[in-house]
Amino acid sequence: MEHVARLARLSLTDDEAERMVGELSGILEHVEDLAAIDLDGVPPTAHPLPLVNVLRADEVGPTLDREEVLAAAPDAADGRFRVPRILDAP
Amino acid sequence: MSVYEAVIGLELHVELATATKLFCSCPNEFGAEPNTNVCPVCLGLPGSLPVLNARAVELALRLAEALDFDVPDRSIFARKNYFYPDMPKDFQISQYESPILSDGRLEVDGATVGIERAHLEEDTGKTVHMGGGGRIHDAEHSLVDYNRAGVPLMEIVSRPDIRSAEQARAYVTELRGVLKAIGLSDVKMEEGSMRVDANVSVREAGAAEFGTKVEIKNMNSLRSLGRAIEHEIERQSAMLDAGERIIQETRHWNEDDGTTHGMRTKEGSSDYRYFPEPDLTPVAPTDEQRAAVRGALPELPAQQRSRLVALGVPEAAARTIVEAELTTYTTSATVSTATTADVANWVQGEVLARVNAEDADPEEKLPAARLGELVDLVAEGTISRAQAKEVFDQVWGTSKVPREVVKDQGLAQVSDEGELAKVIDDIITANPKESDAYRAGDDKARGKLQGFFIGQAMKATGGKANGQLLKKLLDDRLG
Ligand SMILES: [Zn+2]
């Protein structure tokens, strides 16, 4: 549970973690039910619609205004997004 | 100490030469002002949807023809989930279980290197770490530019068929030539449009099992790729000799101290939680698409080399010329097969030196036909090779015509036998000591004295005498 929470960048209290363990087990059991179905010869679904090759031409379109884009960010500097230190101190 | 054999596999990432990004219509260009080539899609803004660039699929199909890949009926995109600010979506769209191309091969100096797969994915943004000397571990904060986020990449993964650093370099060189020839990428390793990672392991020579592989990253030139692999082979061999165990890990090449260093472990492959990208449809290349690409495939480097060699260009020169993308220039300058080798010599010598120094298109600086004319002037004996060099310097980058330069400046060499015979006779009379020494001398002594006589004759004619004819006349008199 802790590992999954860390991957999703969620910090859970002990109570929450306990509750989530129960809920996740329920979900996994439901997925187990699916395993009971005979799926031999059924290809996996990658997309819900029966479409392939939805493509666009390689033509340049409009871009966003930089000031507007950076104004929406919590912090910016020097024309770039400013983010807090990425790795924890060693 | 045991004898070890290296087993190497290479992963190439190349930026595709498209006008726009992989899933949005932002320009794909190098060196723009930070965060000016961005839109809701590549910034991962809520509600935006990616649409695949048709050109990227076309380029992949070209690669399929060039490297004999299988093209699966259907390939799908996948989300690779991870937390790092270089991707604003917090995932990268890549291909995982079903790549667009599988099972290709490339001939490298007579050996076949298998290629497991090639897939499309988007590049990430660029982060600059501020404070702490610019290192990520000590930085106080980082600045991010998303111009590169979403730029189309092709990842090409070789099989572990490579056995030495030299072969690794040859594979990358040949592959780079192919990618350039088919217009897939401009493959500039120094500008970062091509990146190469290497998987290296060693095993006792003749062993059937592979050793534990180590991935090395951060090589920014062909030279450092070779050095990094050599260093890694030595490091692993020494560890095995000392009875140590190799750990499977990723190591960083350090150009300055010429060694590899272990990196902090990242999330493993299962931690990326790949799953099919629901916002993109599968790619299913049609027979028509494949046929269109096949019909328009440009000539590959190996074919260009064979064509040049068949025309009379020496193998080594052909290699240099094809690598420098001067094949067409060379063939256009070639008037007759009798002078092909001479043309090739000029192209891989003077022309290539100028092209590199000036970053110029040779056809603009000296049309191929004019180089052919210059070569002919030497071949027909009108000017000497030394004079030709002078003429070359005058016609390169100007609109002058070689034959006219020769005429205007009276450069034509003297090939009149009567005139030159008189010059030689005068020199012999004026230098009786040297003449006697020549008559009595062995081949070595004669070789030396020949230089003296020819030099004198050149001086007397202002450097215009036909050297071959002088030698003959000298031999007639003193030989
Ligand atoms: Zn965009």
Coordinates of all heavy atoms in Angstrom, one line a residue, chain A:
Chain A
M1 N 0.8 -1.2 0.0 CA 0.0 0.0 0.0 C 0.9 1.3 0.0 O 0.7 2.2 -0.8 CB -0.9 0.0 1.3 CG -2.0 1.1 1.3 SD -3.2 0.8 -0.1 CE -3.1 2.4 -0.9
E2 N 1.9 1.2 0.9 CA 2.8 2.4 1.0 C 3.5 2.7 -0.4 O 3.6 3.8 -0.8 CB 3.9 2.1 2.0 CG 3.5 2.6 3.4 CD 4.5 2.1 4.5 OE1 5.7 2.1 4.1 OE2 4.0 1.7 5.6
H3 N 3.9 1.6 -1.0 CA 4.6 1.7 -2.3 C 3.7 2.3 -3.3 O 4.0 3.3 -4.0 CB 5.0 0.3 -2.8 CG 5.8 0.3 -4.1 ND1 7.0 1.0 -4.2 CD2 5.5 -0.2 -5.3 CE1 7.4 0.9 -5.5 NE2 6.5 0.1 -6.1
V4 N 2.4 1.8 -3.4 CA 1.5 2.4 -4.4 C 1.2 3.8 -4.1 O 1.1 4.7 -5.0 CB 0.2 1.6 -4.4 CG1 -0.9 2.2 -5.3 CG2 0.4 0.1 -4.8
A5 N 1.0 4.2 -2.8 CA 0.8 5.5 -2.4 C 1.9 6.4 -2.8 O 1.7 7.6 -3.3 CB 0.5 5.6 -0.9
R6 N 3.2 5.9 -2.7 CA 4.3 6.7 -3.0 C 4.4 7.0 -4.5 O 4.6 8.1 -4.9 CB 5.6 6.0 -2.5 CG 6.8 7.0 -2.5 CD 8.1 6.2 -2.0 NE 8.4 5.1 -2.9 CZ 9.1 5.3 -4.0 NH1 9.4 6.5 -4.4 NH2 9.3 4.2 -4.8
L7 N 4.0 6.0 -5.3 CA 4.0 6.1 -6.8 C 3.0 7.2 -7.2 O 3.2 7.9 -8.1 CB 3.7 4.8 -7.4 CG 4.9 3.8 -7.4 CD1 4.4 2.5 -8.0 CD2 6.1 4.3 -8.1
A8 N 1.9 7.3 -6.5 CA 0.9 8.2 -6.9 C 1.1 9.6 -6.1 O 0.3 10.5 -6.3 CB -0.5 7.6 -6.5
R9 N 2.1 9.7 -5.4 CA 2.4 10.9 -4.6 C 1.3 11.3 -3.7 O 0.8 12.4 -3.6 CB 2.8 12.1 -5.6 CG 4.0 11.9 -6.4 CD 5.2 11.5 -5.6 NE 6.4 11.5 -6.4 CZ 6.9 10.4 -7.0 NH1 6.3 9.2 -6.8 NH2 8.0 10.5 -7.7
L10 N 0.7 10.2 -3.0 CA -0.3 10.5 -2.0 C 0.3 10.2 -0.6 O 1.0 9.3 -0.4 CB -1.5 9.5 -2.3 CG -2.3 9.7 -3.6 CD1 -3.3 8.5 -3.7 CD2 -3.0 11.0 -3.6
S11 N 0.0 11.1 0.3 CA 0.4 10.8 1.7 C -0.9 10.5 2.4 O -1.8 11.3 2.5 CB 1.1 12.0 2.3 OG 0.3 13.2 2.2
L12 N -0.9 9.2 2.9 CA -2.1 8.7 3.6 C -1.8 8.6 5.1 O -0.7 8.3 5.5 CB -2.5 7.3 3.1 CG -2.7 7.2 1.6 CD1 -3.0 5.8 1.2 CD2 -3.9 8.1 1.2
T13 N -2.9 8.9 5.9 CA -2.7 8.6 7.4 C -2.9 7.1 7.6 O -3.4 6.4 6.7 CB -3.8 9.4 8.2 OG1 -5.1 8.8 7.8 CG2 -3.8 10.9 7.9
D14 N -2.6 6.6 8.7 CA -2.7 5.2 9.0 C -4.1 4.7 8.8 O -4.4 3.7 8.2 CB -2.2 4.8 10.4 CG -0.7 5.0 10.5 OD1 -0.1 5.1 9.4 OD2 -0.2 4.9 11.6
D15 N -5.1 5.5 9.3 CA -6.5 5.2 9.2 C -6.9 5.1 7.7 O -7.5 4.1 7.3 CB -7.4 6.2 9.8 CG -7.3 6.1 11.4 OD1 -6.7 5.1 11.8 OD2 -7.9 7.0 12.0
E16 N -6.5 6.1 6.9 CA -6.8 6.1 5.5 C -6.2 4.9 4.8 O -6.8 4.2 4.0 CB -6.3 7.4 4.8 CG -7.1 8.6 5.1 CD -6.5 9.9 4.7 OE1 -5.2 10.0 4.7 OE2 -7.2 10.8 4.3
A17 N -4.9 4.6 5.1 CA -4.2 3.5 4.5 C -5.0 2.2 4.8 O -5.2 1.4 3.9 CB -2.8 3.4 5.0
E18 N -5.5 2.0 6.0 CA -6.2 0.8 6.4 C -7.4 0.7 5.5 O -7.8 -0.4 5.0 CB -6.5 0.8 7.9 CG -6.6 -0.5 8.5 CD -6.7 -0.5 10.0 OE1 -5.8 0.2 10.6 OE2 -7.7 -1.0 10.5
R19 N -8.2 1.8 5.4 CA -9.4 1.8 4.7 C -9.1 1.5 3.2 O -9.8 0.7 2.6 CB -10.1 3.2 4.8 CG -11.6 3.1 4.5 CD -12.2 4.5 4.7 NE -12.0 5.3 3.5 CZ -11.6 6.6 3.6 NH1 -11.4 7.2 4.8 NH2 -11.4 7.3 2.6
M20 N -8.1 2.1 2.7 CA -7.7 1.9 1.3 C -7.4 0.4 1.0 O -7.7 -0.1 0.0 CB -6.6 2.8 0.8 CG -6.9 4.2 0.8 SD -8.2 4.7 -0.3 CE -7.4 4.7 -1.8
V21 N -6.7 -0.2 1.9 CA -6.3 -1.6 1.8 C -7.6 -2.5 1.5 O -7.7 -3.3 0.6 CB -5.5 -2.2 3.0 CG1 -5.4 -3.7 2.9 CG2 -4.1 -1.5 3.1
G22 N -8.6 -2.1 2.4 CA -9.9 -2.9 2.2 C -10.5 -2.6 0.9 O -10.9 -3.5 0.2
E23 N -10.5 -1.3 0.5 CA -11.2 -1.0 -0.8 C -10.4 -1.5 -2.0 O -11.0 -2.1 -2.9 CB -11.3 0.6 -1.0 CG -12.3 1.2 0.0 CD -12.4 2.7 -0.2 OE1 -11.8 3.2 -1.1 OE2 -13.2 3.3 0.6
L24 N -9.1 -1.5 -1.9 CA -8.3 -2.0 -3.0 C -8.5 -3.5 -3.2 O -8.6 -4.0 -4.3 CB -6.8 -1.7 -2.8 CG -6.3 -0.4 -3.5 CD1 -4.8 -0.2 -3.2 CD2 -6.5 -0.5 -5.0
S25 N -8.6 -4.2 -2.0 CA -8.8 -5.6 -2.1 C -10.1 -5.9 -2.8 O -10.2 -6.9 -3.6 CB -8.8 -6.2 -0.6 OG -7.7 -5.9 0.1
G26 N -11.1 -5.1 -2.5 CA -12.4 -5.3 -3.1 C -12.3 -5.2 -4.6 O -12.8 -6.0 -5.4
I27 N -11.5 -4.2 -5.1 CA -11.4 -3.9 -6.5 C -10.6 -5.1 -7.1 O -11.0 -5.6 -8.2 CB -10.6 -2.6 -6.7 CG1 -11.5 -1.4 -6.3 CG2 -10.2 -2.5 -8.2 CD1 -10.8 -0.1 -6.2
L28 N -9.6 -5.5 -6.5 CA -8.8 -6.6 -7.0 C -9.6 -7.9 -7.1 O -9.5 -8.7 -8.1 CB -7.5 -6.9 -6.1 CG -6.5 -5.8 -6.3 CD1 -5.3 -6.1 -5.3 CD2 -5.9 -5.7 -7.7
E29 N -10.5 -8.1 -6.1 CA -11.4 -9.3 -6.1 C -12.3 -9.2 -7.3 O -12.5 -10.2 -8.0 CB -12.2 -9.4 -4.9 CG -11.5 -10.2 -3.8 CD -12.2 -10.0 -2.4 OE1 -13.5 -9.8 -2.4 OE2 -11.5 -9.9 -1.4
H30 N -12.8 -8.0 -7.6 CA -13.7 -7.8 -8.8 C -12.9 -8.1 -10.0 O -13.5 -8.8 -10.9 CB -14.2 -6.4 -8.8 CG -15.1 -6.1 -10.0 ND1 -16.2 -6.7 -10.2 CD2 -14.9 -5.2 -11.0 CE1 -16.7 -6.3 -11.4 NE2 -15.9 -5.4 -11.9
V31 N -11.7 -7.7 -10.1 CA -10.9 -8.0 -11.3 C -10.6 -9.5 -11.4 O -10.7 -10.1 -12.5 CB -9.5 -7.2 -11.3 CG1 -8.6 -7.6 -12.4 CG2 -9.8 -5.7 -11.3
E32 N -10.5 -10.2 -10.3 CA -10.3 -11.6 -10.3 C -11.5 -12.3 -10.9 O -11.4 -13.3 -11.7 CB -10.3 -12.1 -8.8 CG -9.0 -11.7 -8.1 CD -7.8 -12.6 -8.5 OE1 -7.9 -13.8 -8.4 OE2 -6.8 -12.0 -9.0
D33 N -12.8 -11.7 -10.7 CA -14.0 -12.3 -11.3 C -13.8 -12.3 -12.8 O -14.3 -13.3 -13.5 CB -15.2 -11.4 -10.9 CG -15.6 -11.6 -9.4 OD1 -15.0 -12.5 -8.8 OD2 -16.3 -10.7 -8.9
L34 N -13.2 -11.2 -13.3 CA -13.1 -11.2 -14.8 C -12.2 -12.3 -15.3 O -12.4 -12.8 -16.4 CB -12.4 -9.8 -15.2 CG -13.2 -8.6 -15.0 CD1 -12.4 -7.4 -15.4 CD2 -14.5 -8.6 -15.8
A35 N -11.2 -12.7 -14.5 CA -10.3 -13.8 -14.9 C -11.1 -15.1 -15.1 O -10.6 -16.0 -15.8 CB -9.2 -14.0 -13.9
A36 N -12.3 -15.2 -14.5 CA -13.0 -16.4 -14.7 C -13.6 -16.6 -16.1 O -14.0 -17.7 -16.5 CB -14.1 -16.5 -13.6
I37 N -13.8 -15.5 -16.8 CA -14.4 -15.5 -18.1 C -13.4 -16.1 -19.1 O -12.2 -15.8 -19.0 CB -14.8 -14.1 -18.6 CG1 -15.7 -13.4 -17.5 CG2 -15.5 -14.1 -19.9 CD1 -15.9 -12.0 -17.7
D38 N -13.8 -16.9 -20.0 CA -13.0 -17.5 -21.0 C -12.7 -16.5 -22.1 O -13.6 -16.1 -22.9 CB -13.6 -18.8 -21.6 CG -12.7 -19.4 -22.6 OD1 -11.5 -19.0 -22.7 OD2 -13.2 -20.3 -23.4
L39 N -11.5 -16.0 -22.2 CA -11.2 -14.9 -23.2 C -10.2 -15.4 -24.3 O -9.6 -14.6 -25.0 CB -10.5 -13.7 -22.5 CG -11.4 -12.9 -21.5 CD1 -10.7 -11.9 -20.7 CD2 -12.6 -12.3 -22.3
D40 N -10.1 -16.7 -24.4 CA -9.3 -17.3 -25.5 C -9.7 -16.7 -26.8 O -10.9 -16.8 -27.2 CB -9.3 -18.8 -25.5 CG -8.3 -19.4 -24.5 OD1 -7.6 -18.6 -23.8 OD2 -8.3 -20.6 -24.3
G41 N -8.8 -16.2 -27.6 CA -9.1 -15.7 -28.9 C -9.8 -14.3 -28.9 O -10.1 -13.9 -30.0
V42 N -9.9 -13.7 -27.8 CA -10.4 -12.3 -27.8 C -9.3 -11.4 -27.6 O -8.6 -11.4 -26.6 CB -11.4 -12.1 -26.6 CG1 -12.0 -10.7 -26.6 CG2 -12.6 -13.2 -26.7
P43 N -9.0 -10.5 -28.6 CA -7.9 -9.6 -28.5 C -8.1 -8.5 -27.5 O -9.3 -8.1 -27.3 CB -7.8 -9.0 -29.9 CG -9.1 -9.1 -30.5 CD -9.8 -10.3 -29.9
P44 N -7.1 -8.0 -26.8 CA -7.3 -7.0 -25.8 C -7.8 -5.7 -26.4 O -7.4 -5.4 -27.6 CB -5.9 -6.8 -25.2 CG -4.9 -7.5 -26.1 CD -5.7 -8.5 -26.9
T45 N -8.6 -5.0 -25.8 CA -9.1 -3.7 -26.3 C -8.1 -2.6 -25.9 O -7.8 -2.4 -24.8 CB -10.5 -3.4 -25.6 OG1 -11.3 -4.5 -25.8 CG2 -11.1 -2.1 -26.3
A46 N -7.6 -1.9 -27.0 CA -6.7 -0.8 -26.7 C -7.5 0.5 -26.8 O -7.1 1.5 -26.2 CB -5.6 -0.7 -27.7
H47 N -8.7 0.5 -27.4 CA -9.4 1.7 -27.6 C -10.9 1.4 -27.7 O -11.3 0.4 -28.3 CB -9.0 2.4 -28.9 CG -9.4 3.8 -29.0 ND1 -10.6 4.2 -29.6 CD2 -8.8 4.9 -28.6 CE1 -10.7 5.6 -29.5 NE2 -9.6 6.0 -28.9
P48 N -11.7 2.1 -27.0 CA -13.1 1.8 -26.9 C -13.9 1.9 -28.2 O -14.9 1.2 -28.4 CB -13.7 2.7 -25.9 CG -12.7 3.9 -25.8 CD -11.4 3.3 -26.2
L49 N -13.4 2.7 -29.2 CA -14.1 2.8 -30.4 C -13.4 2.0 -31.5 O -12.2 1.9 -31.5 CB -14.1 4.3 -30.8 CG -14.8 5.3 -29.8 CD1 -14.6 6.7 -30.3 CD2 -16.3 4.9 -29.7
P50 N -14.1 1.5 -32.5 CA -13.5 0.7 -33.6 C -12.8 1.6 -34.6 O -13.2 1.6 -35.8 CB -14.7 0.0 -34.2 CG -15.9 0.9 -33.9 CD -15.6 1.7 -32.7
L51 N -11.9 2.5 -34.2 CA -11.3 3.4 -35.1 C -9.8 3.1 -35.1 O -9.2 2.7 -34.1 CB -11.4 4.8 -34.6 CG -12.7 5.5 -34.7 CD1 -12.7 6.9 -34.0 CD2 -13.1 5.7 -36.2
V52 N -9.1 3.3 -36.3 CA -7.7 3.2 -36.4 C -7.2 4.4 -37.2 O -8.0 5.1 -37.9 CB -7.2 1.9 -37.0 CG1 -7.4 0.7 -36.2 CG2 -7.7 1.7 -38.5
N53 N -5.9 4.7 -37.2 CA -5.3 5.8 -38.0 C -6.0 7.1 -38.0 O -6.3 7.7 -39.0 CB -5.3 5.3 -39.5 CG -4.4 4.1 -39.6 OD1 -3.5 3.8 -38.8 ND2 -4.6 3.3 -40.6
V54 N -6.3 7.6 -36.8 CA -6.8 9.0 -36.7 C -5.5 9.9 -36.7 O -4.8 9.9 -35.7 CB -7.7 9.2 -35.5 CG1 -8.1 10.7 -35.4 CG2 -8.9 8.3 -35.5
L55 N -5.3 10.5 -37.8 CA -4.0 11.2 -38.0 C -4.3 12.7 -38.3 O -5.4 13.0 -38.8 CB -3.2 10.6 -39.1 CG -2.9 9.1 -38.9 CD1 -2.2 8.6 -40.2 CD2 -2.0 8.8 -37.8
R56 N -3.3 13.5 -38.2 CA -3.4 14.9 -38.6 C -2.2 15.2 -39.5 O -1.2 14.6 -39.4 CB -3.4 15.9 -37.4 CG -2.2 15.9 -36.7 CD -2.1 16.9 -35.5 NE -0.8 16.6 -34.9 CZ 0.3 17.2 -35.3 NH1 0.3 18.0 -36.3 NH2 1.4 16.8 -34.7
A57 N -2.4 16.2 -40.4 CA -1.3 16.6 -41.3 C -0.2 17.3 -40.6 O -0.5 17.9 -39.5 CB -1.9 17.5 -42.4
D58 N 1.0 17.2 -41.0 CA 2.2 17.8 -40.3 C 2.2 19.3 -40.7 O 3.2 19.7 -41.4 CB 3.4 17.0 -40.8 CG 4.7 17.5 -40.0 OD1 4.5 18.0 -38.9 OD2 5.8 17.3 -40.6
E59 N 1.3 20.0 -40.2 CA 1.2 21.5 -40.5 C 1.2 22.3 -39.2 O 0.5 21.9 -38.3 CB 0.0 21.8 -41.3 CG 0.2 21.4 -42.8 CD -1.2 21.2 -43.5 OE1 -2.2 21.7 -43.0 OE2 -1.2 20.6 -44.6
V60 N 2.0 23.3 -39.1 CA 2.2 24.1 -37.9 C 0.9 24.9 -37.7 O 0.3 25.5 -38.6 CB 3.4 25.1 -38.1 CG1 3.4 26.0 -36.9 CG2 4.7 24.3 -38.2
G61 N 0.5 24.8 -36.4 CA -0.7 25.6 -36.0 C -0.4 26.6 -34.9 O 0.8 26.8 -34.6
P62 N -1.4 27.3 -34.4 CA -1.1 28.4 -33.4 C -0.5 27.8 -32.1 O -0.8 26.7 -31.7 CB -2.5 29.0 -33.1 CG -3.4 27.9 -33.5 CD -2.8 27.1 -34.6
T63 N 0.3 28.6 -31.4 CA 0.9 28.3 -30.1 C 0.3 29.3 -29.1 O -0.2 30.3 -29.5 CB 2.4 28.3 -30.1 OG1 2.8 29.6 -30.6 CG2 3.0 27.2 -31.1
L64 N 0.5 29.0 -27.9 CA 0.0 29.9 -26.8 C 1.0 31.0 -26.5 O 2.2 30.9 -26.8 CB -0.2 29.1 -25.5 CG -1.4 28.1 -25.5 CD1 -1.4 27.3 -24.3 CD2 -2.7 28.8 -25.7
D65 N 0.5 32.1 -26.0 CA 1.3 33.2 -25.6 C 2.1 32.9 -24.4 O 1.5 32.4 -23.4 CB 0.4 34.5 -25.4 CG 1.2 35.6 -24.9 OD1 2.1 36.1 -25.7 OD2 1.1 36.0 -23.8
R66 N 3.4 33.1 -24.4 CA 4.2 32.7 -23.2 C 3.8 33.3 -21.9 O 3.7 32.7 -20.9 CB 5.7 32.9 -23.5 CG 6.5 32.4 -22.4 CD 8.0 32.3 -22.7 NE 8.6 33.6 -22.8 CZ 9.9 33.8 -23.1 NH1 10.6 32.7 -23.4 NH2 10.4 35.0 -23.2
E67 N 3.5 34.6 -22.0 CA 3.2 35.3 -20.7 C 1.9 34.8 -20.1 O 1.9 34.6 -18.9 CB 3.0 36.8 -21.0 CG 4.3 37.5 -21.6 CD 5.6 37.0 -20.9 OE1 5.6 37.0 -19.6 OE2 6.5 36.7 -21.6
E68 N 1.0 34.5 -21.0 CA -0.3 33.9 -20.5 C -0.1 32.5 -19.9 O -0.6 32.2 -18.8 CB -1.2 33.7 -21.7 CG -2.6 34.0 -21.5 CD -3.4 33.9 -22.8 OE1 -3.0 34.6 -23.8 OE2 -4.3 33.1 -22.9
V69 N 0.8 31.7 -20.5 CA 1.0 30.4 -20.1 C 1.7 30.4 -18.7 O 1.3 29.7 -17.8 CB 1.9 29.6 -21.1 CG1 2.6 28.4 -20.5 CG2 1.1 29.2 -22.3
L70 N 2.7 31.3 -18.6 CA 3.5 31.3 -17.4 C 2.7 31.9 -16.2 O 2.9 31.6 -15.0 CB 4.8 32.1 -17.6 CG 5.8 31.4 -18.5 CD1 7.1 32.3 -18.7 CD2 6.2 30.0 -18.0
A71 N 1.7 32.8 -16.6 CA 0.9 33.5 -15.6 C 0.1 32.4 -14.9 O -0.3 32.6 -13.7 CB 0.0 34.5 -16.2
A72 N -0.3 31.3 -15.6 CA -1.1 30.3 -15.0 C -0.3 29.4 -14.1 O -0.9 28.5 -13.4 CB -1.8 29.5 -16.1
A73 N 1.0 29.5 -14.1 CA 1.8 28.6 -13.3 C 2.1 29.2 -11.9 O 2.0 30.4 -11.7 CB 3.2 28.4 -14.0
P74 N 2.3 28.3 -10.9 CA 2.5 28.8 -9.5 C 3.8 29.7 -9.5 O 3.8 30.7 -8.7 CB 2.8 27.6 -8.7 CG 2.2 26.5 -9.5 CD 2.3 26.9 -10.9
D75 N 4.8 29.5 -10.3 CA 6.0 30.3 -10.2 C 6.7 30.2 -11.6 O 6.6 29.2 -12.3 CB 6.9 29.7 -9.1 CG 7.9 30.8 -8.7 OD1 7.9 31.9 -9.2 OD2 8.6 30.5 -7.7
A76 N 7.3 31.3 -12.0 CA 8.1 31.3 -13.2 C 9.3 32.2 -13.1 O 9.3 33.1 -12.2 CB 7.2 31.8 -14.4
A77 N 10.3 31.9 -13.9 CA 11.5 32.8 -13.9 C 12.2 32.6 -15.3 O 12.2 31.5 -15.8 CB 12.5 32.4 -12.8
D78 N 12.6 33.7 -15.8 CA 13.5 33.7 -17.0 C 12.8 33.0 -18.2 O 13.4 32.2 -18.9 CB 14.7 32.9 -16.6 CG 15.9 33.2 -17.5 OD1 15.8 34.2 -18.2 OD2 16.9 32.5 -17.5
G79 N 11.5 33.2 -18.3 CA 10.7 32.6 -19.4 C 10.4 31.1 -19.2 O 10.0 30.4 -20.1
R80 N 10.7 30.6 -18.0 CA 10.5 29.2 -17.8 C 9.7 28.9 -16.5 O 9.6 29.8 -15.6 CB 11.9 28.5 -17.6 CG 12.5 28.3 -19.0 CD 13.9 27.8 -18.8 NE 14.8 29.0 -18.9 CZ 16.0 29.0 -19.4 NH1 16.5 27.9 -20.0 NH2 16.7 30.1 -19.5
F81 N 9.1 27.7 -16.4 CA 8.4 27.3 -15.2 C 9.4 27.1 -14.1 O 10.5 26.4 -14.3 CB 7.6 26.0 -15.5 CG 6.5 26.2 -16.5 CD1 6.7 26.1 -17.8 CD2 5.2 26.5 -16.0 CE1 5.7 26.3 -18.8 CE2 4.2 26.7 -16.9 CZ 4.4 26.6 -18.3
R82 N 9.2 27.6 -12.9 CA 10.1 27.4 -11.8 C 9.5 26.4 -10.9 O 8.4 26.5 -10.4 CB 10.3 28.7 -11.1 CG 11.3 28.8 -10.0 CD 11.3 30.2 -9.4 NE 12.5 30.4 -8.6 CZ 12.7 30.1 -7.3 NH1 11.7 29.4 -6.7 NH2 13.8 30.4 -6.7
V83 N 10.2 25.3 -10.7 CA 9.7 24.2 -9.9 C 10.6 24.0 -8.7 O 11.8 24.2 -8.7 CB 9.6 22.9 -10.7 CG1 8.6 23.0 -11.8 CG2 10.9 22.4 -11.2
P84 N 10.0 23.5 -7.5 CA 10.9 23.3 -6.4 C 11.9 22.2 -6.6 O 11.8 21.4 -7.6 CB 9.9 22.8 -5.3 CG 8.6 22.7 -5.9 CD 8.6 23.1 -7.3
R85 N 12.9 22.0 -5.7 CA 14.0 21.0 -6.0 C 13.3 19.7 -6.2 O 12.3 19.3 -5.6 CB 14.9 21.0 -4.8 CG 14.3 20.6 -3.5 CD 15.4 20.5 -2.4 NE 16.4 19.6 -2.7 CZ 17.7 19.7 -2.5 NH1 18.1 20.8 -1.9 NH2 18.5 18.8 -2.8
I86 N 13.9 19.0 -7.2 CA 13.3 17.7 -7.7 C 13.6 16.5 -6.8 O 12.7 15.7 -6.5 CB 13.7 17.5 -9.1 CG1 13.2 18.6 -10.0 CG2 13.3 16.1 -9.6 CD1 13.8 18.7 -11.4
L87 N 14.9 16.4 -6.4 CA 15.3 15.3 -5.6 C 15.4 15.7 -4.1 O 15.8 16.8 -3.9 CB 16.6 14.7 -6.1 CG 16.6 14.0 -7.4 CD1 18.0 13.4 -7.7 CD2 15.5 13.0 -7.6
D88 N 15.1 14.8 -3.2 CA 15.3 15.1 -1.8 C 16.8 15.3 -1.5 O 17.6 14.7 -2.2 CB 14.7 14.0 -0.9 CG 13.2 13.9 -1.0 OD1 12.6 14.9 -1.4 OD2 12.7 12.7 -0.8
A89 N 17.1 16.1 -0.5 CA 18.5 16.2 -0.2 C 19.1 14.8 0.2 O 18.4 14.0 0.8 CB 18.6 17.1 1.0
P90 N 20.3 14.5 -0.3 CA 20.8 13.2 -0.1 C 21.1 12.9 1.4 O 21.3 13.8 2.2 CB 22.1 13.2 -0.8 CG 22.4 14.6 -1.2 CD 21.2 15.4 -1.0

